[in-house]
Amino acid sequence: MRKVINNTLRIFTISAVLVTTLLVSLTYYAQSGMIMRVVPGVIIILLAVIAAAFYISKRLTRNIMEPINSIDINNISEADIYDELKPFLERIANENEERARTEKIRREFTANVSHELKTPLTAISGYAQMMNNGMAKDGDIIEFSKKIEKESDRLLTLIDDIINLSNLDEIGGIEDAETVDLSNITEDAIRVIEKPAKERGIQIFYSKAPALIKGNPTLIGELVYNLLDNAVKYNKDDGKITVFVGENSNGVEFSVKDTGIGIPEEETERIFERFYRVDKSHSKKVGGTGLGLSIVKHVCACHNAKIRVKSKVGEGTTMYVTFPKNIEVKKSDPTV
Ligand code: ADP
């Protein structure tokens, strides 16, 4: 870098001086016809100018490079640097910050995954040991095996969600976007949640209009299913779920309204964080992993879709997802 700037300055200055001198000499020669008398003076000036060019370019290069070389790359905000370089340094500082944030999220995620996997496994191992050691009475066997089954299911759901999330991180974006009918996907997901909803007396109302979007049908299916599943899990018995699919002035909208427990206002941002649960024991009881809405947020980001939450504790929650009409599918961000 240093050499390039230095040499460029030298070549540029010398070329400028040579051309100027040549022009001046030729003009003088043409006018007076006394070329031999001006040649020594021209040569001296030329040499002096070349020496000055070397000296100036060296100083310039030093002035440019010294502040750059003295920058502490881990503490860019405190660097004493000339104005031209400040936007570039700001960019590096932002990237450093972003990298640190991503690292922190990944570290926390790994710690949480280990903890979440350990809990059901400890329970499974405990019940199995009791049965193995003959500590479980005959009447306990059925109950213990039911608990083992429940914890294993929980483990499998958790692993599925983790795989889904890391796939979203891995693929780095959607390559095979296709035209998708959101209403078909919604109907498929409603069919899946109909049974658990019915068991709790929850009614589902569905209104739809044509809703074509561009995207990955499997990921959009995940998004729709997760939101509908939450509307059942966090609903009250004999509650209602209202699903809407259609276009409005903002784009193609999918919304799910439930009459469930609701979410406190200060928590509505945090529920999209990995493993965040408003009420951990309630989520566990209904088979939650704390990853569903992180997947939803990730899928929204990939499809340039926006998600909005409206909720009132004790009254219910509505989740609105708006897909742009002519969407441009985006690269996925591993930090969401
Ligand atoms: P989980 O697997 O625990 O349901 P999610 O990521 O889907 O995880 O949701 C995170 C948390 O947000 C849930 O644990 C719950 O506390 C809250 N939540 C999500 N959807 C709803 C809803 N429709 N009504 C009330 N609370 C909800």
Side-chain angles (χ1 to χ4, degrees):
M1 177 74 175
R2 188 180 191 124
K3 265 202 161 129
V4 174
I5 294 176
N6 203 347
N7 289 340
T8 312
L9 280 170
R10 275 178 193 160
I11 291 166
F12 175 75
T13 319
I14 291 168
S15 316
V17 167
L18 281 177
V19 171
T20 317
T21 314
L22 205 68
L23 279 176
V24 170
S25 310
L26 285 176
T27 315
Y28 186 82
Y29 169 66
Q31 279 173 2
S32 64
M34 297 189 300
I35 182 120
M36 290 320 288
R37 283 173 66 183
V38 295
V39 166
V42 169
I43 290 174
I44 289 169
I45 292 170
L46 203 60
L47 290 175
V49 172
I50 288 173
F54 268 78
Y55 175 73
I56 290 168
S57 63
K58 203 165 179 159
R59 275 203 67 158
L60 258 175
T61 309
R62 202 175 59 220
N63 289 348
I64 292 171
M65 293 311 294
E66 251 170 24
I68 295 177
N69 288 335
S70 66
I71 294 170
D72 175 1
I73 209 81
N74 295 315
N75 203 3
I76 280 175
S77 54
E78 283 180 17
D80 182 18
I81 194 84
Y82 42 89
D83 290 347
E84 289 86 342
L85 210 63
K86 280 185 178 155
F88 177 62
L89 288 190
E90 268 165 29
R91 255 177 42 217
I92 297 182
N94 288 344
E95 270 174 30
N96 280 353
E97 238 169 63
E98 187 55 31
R99 199 170 306 127
R101 197 176 72 88
T102 315
E103 282 281 311
K104 188 168 169 264
I105 289 172
R106 282 195 200 285
R107 269 201 310 276
E108 283 173 3
F109 182 61
T110 313
N112 280 329
V113 165
S114 319
H115 175 76
E116 297 286 337
L117 290 176
K118 212 172 154 189
T119 315
L121 268 177
T122 311
I124 291 170
S125 155
Y127 290 124
Q129 262 176 25
M130 290 207 288
M131 286 158 79
N132 202 18
N133 297 341
M135 285 167 74
K137 296 176 215 126
D138 281 353
D140 291 337
I141 302 282
I142 291 183
E143 195 196 327
F144 283 9
S145 42
K146 269 189 189 156
K147 282 186 172 154
I148 289 178
E149 191 187 355
K150 193 177 163 215
E151 293 298 334
S152 313
D153 285 347
R154 189 176 148 60
L155 206 55
L156 286 173
T157 315
L158 191 62
I159 291 169
D160 273 347
D161 279 355
I162 293 168
I163 291 173
N164 277 340
L165 256 182
S166 58
N167 281 346
L168 277 166
D169 286 347
E170 277 304 307
I171 57 173
I174 295 165
E175 272 144 28
D176 46 359
E178 52 188 85
T179 304
V180 176
D181 188 342
L182 195 54
S183 59
N184 286 347
I185 292 185
T186 306
E187 272 158 35
D188 289 346
I190 289 179
R191 251 173 251 132
V192 181
I193 60 144
E194 244 163 13
K195 192 169 167 259
K198 208 169 166 194
E199 281 167 7
R200 295 183 50 211
I202 298 168
Q203 284 178 283
I204 302 172
F205 299 91
Y206 175 43
S207 67
K208 64 165 186 174
L212 294 182
I213 54 171
K214 257 199 156 171
N216 177 306
T218 314
L219 295 181
I220 295 170
E222 284 283 335
L223 176 150
V224 170
Y225 172 75
N226 274 307
L227 293 180
L228 287 172
D229 185 44
N230 281 352
V232 177
K233 285 193 306 197
Y234 302 104
N235 216 322
K236 294 172 186 158
D237 288 350
D238 304 318
K240 269 196 243 166
I241 298 175
T242 313
V243 186
F244 168 79
V245 176
E247 274 193 25
N248 63 21
S249 55
N250 299 322
V252 176
E253 189 165 283
F254 166 76
S255 69
V256 187
K257 181 173 187 230
D258 65 57
T259 53
I261 56 173
I263 304 162
E265 204 186 331
E266 62 280 10
E267 315 249 16
T268 49
E269 284 296 315
R270 300 212 61 193
I271 54 172
F272 295 96
E273 291 172 19
R274 293 176 182 195
F275 291 115
Y276 189 83
R277 284 161 275 196
V278 176
D279 178 346
K280 202 163 180 167
S281 62
H282 184 110
S283 161
K284 264 187 158 176
K285 213 169 86 192
V286 293
T289 62
L291 292 176
L293 288 182
S294 313
I295 294 173
V296 168
K297 193 179 169 191
H298 227 310
V299 177
C300 283
C302 290
H303 290 82
N304 262 333
K306 299 247 175 314
I307 182 155
R308 200 159 50 86
V309 187
K310 208 171 118 195
S311 189
K312 202 154 188 203
V313 174
E315 288 186 14
T317 302
T318 312
M319 296 276 183
Y320 302 90
V321 179
T322 313
F323 294 87
K325 272 178 200 156
N326 293 313
I327 71 161
E328 184 195 314
V329 179
K330 225 175 80 175
K331 288 257 170 198
S332 100
D333 171 3
T335 65
V336 291

